[in-house]
Amino acid sequence: MKPLDDILIIDLSQFLSAPSATLRLADLGARVIKVERPETGDLCRQLYISNVILNGESSVFRAINRNKESFQADLKNKTDKTLVLKLIEKADVLIHNFRPGVIERLGLDYGTIKKINPSIIYGSISGYGEEGPWKSKPGQDLLLQSLSGLTWLSGNGHDGPVPMGLAIVDILSGSHLAQGILAALVKKSKTGKGMKVSVSMLESILDFQFETITTFYHDGGQPTERSTENNAHAYLGAPYGIYKTKNGHLSLAMGAIPFLGELLECEQLKNYPEPESWFTQRDEIKKILADHLKTETTEKWLSVLEPADIWCANVLNWNTLFDHEGFKVLDMIQKVVMGDGFEYKTTRCPIKIDGKLLTSALGSPALGEHTEAIINELT
Amino acid sequence: MRPLEGILVLEFSQYMAGPSAGLRLADFGARVIKIERPIHGEGCRQIAIKNLFIDGNSLVFHTVNRDKESYTANLKDPDDLKKVKKLIALADVMTHNFRPGVMEKIGLDYDKAREINPKLIYASITGYGTKGPWAKKPGQDLLVQSLSGLTHLTGNKNDEPVPMGLAAVDILTGTHLVHGILAALIKRGKTSKGALVEVSLLESILDFQFEVITTYLNNGNKLPQRAKEGSSHAYLSAPYGIYKTKNGYISLAMGSLHELGEVLKSPELFQYDDPKSWFTERDEIMDLLRTVLVKETTSYWLDRLEAKDIWCSDVLTYTKLLQHPAYSVLQMDQKILLDSKKKIHTTRCPIQFNDKKIFASKGAPRVGQHNKAIIEEFKL
């Protein structure tokens, strides 16, 4: 039995942010019904990346929407909307990520829904909140990264802005929405009462930067400065970074610089006994380290540093990682099957409960695949 | 009226991943008691960024541990351990992030804890799971980024591996731990039984890459290719990226090159009429865009592009963002008064219940600050 086994979620959302939340809830056991508009469905179905098409649609859609059902409905059509309202009446959770104003026009705002189903958990993700000058801007990952200050944290000092190369804003806001919904369900299980849960992509990506924004508030508002080379965190001192070796790379997290000097047999590092200098003089220290680490292989350095409990690691790509026993033992990849028999591989939920992996063999649905069955269930 | 009022959490976790989960539970209304070793407390108290400390604890510690209490115990001392076990008997949740084997040695592994309290949700974070060759490796953010393939997604084609410049692994893992804990609490509401919830840094950062790993698994294992310059997502087509303008930068998300060509008055973009070429000819197209965009200011382009509903934005620093009305309208910051009368100026919880923003009521605790009160209250 999975923890959310008897929970029904009606999901009006599309793209990545909120759908990633319903994927998590589905993996935890909830039944998720995606309500999709006729013809196109969730626009993510056509959001191809690197031109990969998986059984006719985008691999991103296939990854995000496995373990869900699809109900086709035009929310502007009266008959369809009546059916969707019937579903909402039975649901524990309703989720959407329309821009502010749209849900009111559709007549599906919390005030209205609460009257139909007072115990419902009503979750939404907006781009920038419900008010202010940005409220109607498109809530898109790269734009949010760019506006939130995030692009000055990765990359090196002389690089321009460097965004994080994945949809970090979508994923975090989805994760926050799932947290809020789960907390509201905990509360509902005690009181029987529903609740509105709201998340915005901007607040979520600011929360992600809580360490650095708090620092900015306390350091007199100094501009964010990345180290000239080998930066891995603009606010951390040397050695924190990734370094080139003779045959690859080495990541070094923490470690006293003179001790590193001793282990690596690098005399110059012994000139930095003061921990403060590891931050204030990190550019020169990193330069010394970079020049030195180039001279030997990653394996050689690991063999010196790991026994001394220095936090370090090799730098892998997916080929080398997937071949590694440390990855294989996780059993992280699962095979899922679509309604038409098409099979594909994807990752599983990262959470284990009572020692069991949360897997599910159900692939992503074709548009409207479950419409008829769901209508039959309703009548 | 926060959703987790009445829930008691014992946090044995240190550093960032586990405590960030505890912070979220505290923001949601749970009472979170940190169980720390005497005198020094948890490790994060001394991990500073930019050498910033307040009242002897790092600013990072204050940021992650607001709204929590501190109770000290030496878990190797039988007397202290007995008291901690009494607390466990009364708790709803406990979290820890010791390396595999440590809790077993102390005698607070899940089986032992369950004997004390069968309704307990026992949540643990490891670096790499409990089995396999990496089980005992230090679970640290940058190391896990490096091992997970993540560093090949950020930065440009000719860059070395580029890590994400924040503790992305810790934070994501913390959010997953919260998912597991809350789901287990929901289940407990039905079954009255506790549960073991386990996450690891490595599984969490692989989950973060689920879209691109799914693509990799189904395209003949092709490794990611970052764009030559301005790369913002290895798998996305032009124009996706950041470009220099006359006075700053502009971000362009996904969109039609045709519409873009019209607004930018660059007919050269029209030659790419097969959308597939927007990926295969990405570097060439982005070069073209660079030569055009650099000729005018950011606001010049934003005015024209936004009017046509093309997804674009300015690129802000903290200095600019925190002064922007779009930031102030969020009321995202809060000032928390410490006992020493010093203030911590930080951000608030990003989630709202019934349209109410959640602000913290107190700052991070001193080591053992609540020992006396907790001993009295729980009759330890």
Side-chain angles (χ1 to χ4, degrees), chain B residues 210-230:
Chain B
F210 76 129
E211 307 163 73
V212 284
I213 288 181
T214 300
T215 304
Y216 164 85
L217 288 168
N218 294 284
N219 74 352
N221 297 355
K222 257 189 240 146
L223 288 171
Q225 295 291 326
R226 299 171 293 186
K228 188 179 76 185
E229 216 183 313

Side-chain angles (χ1 to χ4, degrees), chain A residues 131-375:
Chain A
E131 38 183 10
W134 288 347
K135 68 172 187 206
S136 302
K137 265 184 96 67
Q140 195 282 333
D141 194 272
L142 177 61
L143 311 189
L144 264 306
Q145 289 199 37
S146 304
L147 291 169
S148 70
L150 191 77
T151 60
W152 301 100
L153 299 172
S154 303
N156 291 326
H158 299 301
D159 293 339
V162 176
M164 295 185 175
L166 271 183
I168 181 86
V169 191
D170 283 319
I171 294 298
L172 282 165
S173 56
S175 200
H176 293 160
L177 183 67
Q179 291 182 332
I181 286 169
L182 288 164
L185 282 167
V186 172
K187 171 104 177 169
K188 183 184 155 184
S189 71
K190 289 188 203 163
T191 62
K193 281 194 189 134
M195 219 179 223
K196 184 180 174 190
V197 179
S198 335
V199 166
S200 77
M201 296 171 78
L202 181 55
E203 285 161 279
S204 285
I205 199 63
L206 291 169
D207 172 68
F208 180 47
Q209 300 173 78
F210 71 147
E211 273 187 86
T212 48
I213 292 177
T214 302
T215 301
F216 185 84
Y217 277 133
H218 285 264
D219 70 3
Q222 290 171 24
T224 310
E225 249 181 73
R226 298 162 293 189
S227 60
T228 314
E229 297 290 338
N230 311 93
N231 173 59
H233 193 303
Y235 290 81
L236 286 176
Y240 208 79
I242 293 182
Y243 297 86
K244 215 176 168 149
T245 63
K246 208 169 170 180
N247 66 341
H249 296 90
L250 176 77
S251 255
L252 267 178
M254 318 282 184
I257 298 298
F259 184 49
L260 279 176
E262 208 173 293
L263 292 167
L264 302 171
E265 292 175 23
C266 176
E267 283 305 310
Q268 285 169 280
L269 291 177
K270 295 181 182 165
N271 300 333
Y272 302 90
E274 282 305 314
E276 280 210 22
S277 68
W278 308 342
F279 182 74
T280 54
Q281 290 170 281
R282 66 180 174 182
D283 279 347
E284 52 185 87
I285 298 173
K286 284 182 163 189
K287 175 86 174 63
I288 298 168
L289 266 168
D291 288 340
H292 189 73
L293 291 169
K294 264 195 307 222
T295 59
E296 281 294 346
T297 63
T298 304
E299 292 72 21
K300 153 87 197 216
W301 296 129
L302 288 171
S303 75
V304 173
L305 296 171
E306 281 187 327
D309 230 353
I310 296 290
W311 292 359
C312 58
N314 197 348
V315 180
L316 305 182
N317 63 32
W318 295 329
N319 287 342
T320 44
L321 170 71
F322 284 32
D323 276 342
H324 201 287
E325 202 49 41
F327 172 80
K328 288 181 189 162
V329 75
L330 298 176
D331 212 355
M332 193 67 204
I333 306 300
Q334 60 178 345
K335 199 182 263 180
V336 298
V337 192
M338 290 177 53
D340 64 2
F342 182 82
E343 286 185 350
Y344 60 98
K345 283 195 221 164
T346 184
T347 53
R348 62 161 170 81
C349 177
I351 304 162
K352 240 198 282 187
I353 295 190
D354 288 335
K356 287 193 196 77
L357 302 179
L358 296 163
T359 54
S360 161
L362 196 63
S364 56
L367 175 59
E369 183 175 337
H370 305 90
T371 312
E372 214 186 298
I374 292 167
I375 292 175

Side-chain angles (χ1 to χ4, degrees), chain A residues 87-122:
Chain A
L87 280 174
I88 293 174
E89 222 177 295
K90 291 179 187 296
D92 300 282
V93 180
L94 176 70
I95 286 175
H96 81 83
N97 63 353
F98 292 110
R99 287 196 208 180
V102 174
I103 202 77
E104 286 78 8
R105 284 204 291 281
L106 289 169
L108 297 170
D109 52 285
Y110 183 50
T112 311
I113 296 302
K114 199 165 55 167
K115 284 182 202 135
I116 304 166
N117 181 348
S119 67
I120 202 157
I121 315 287
Y122 185 97

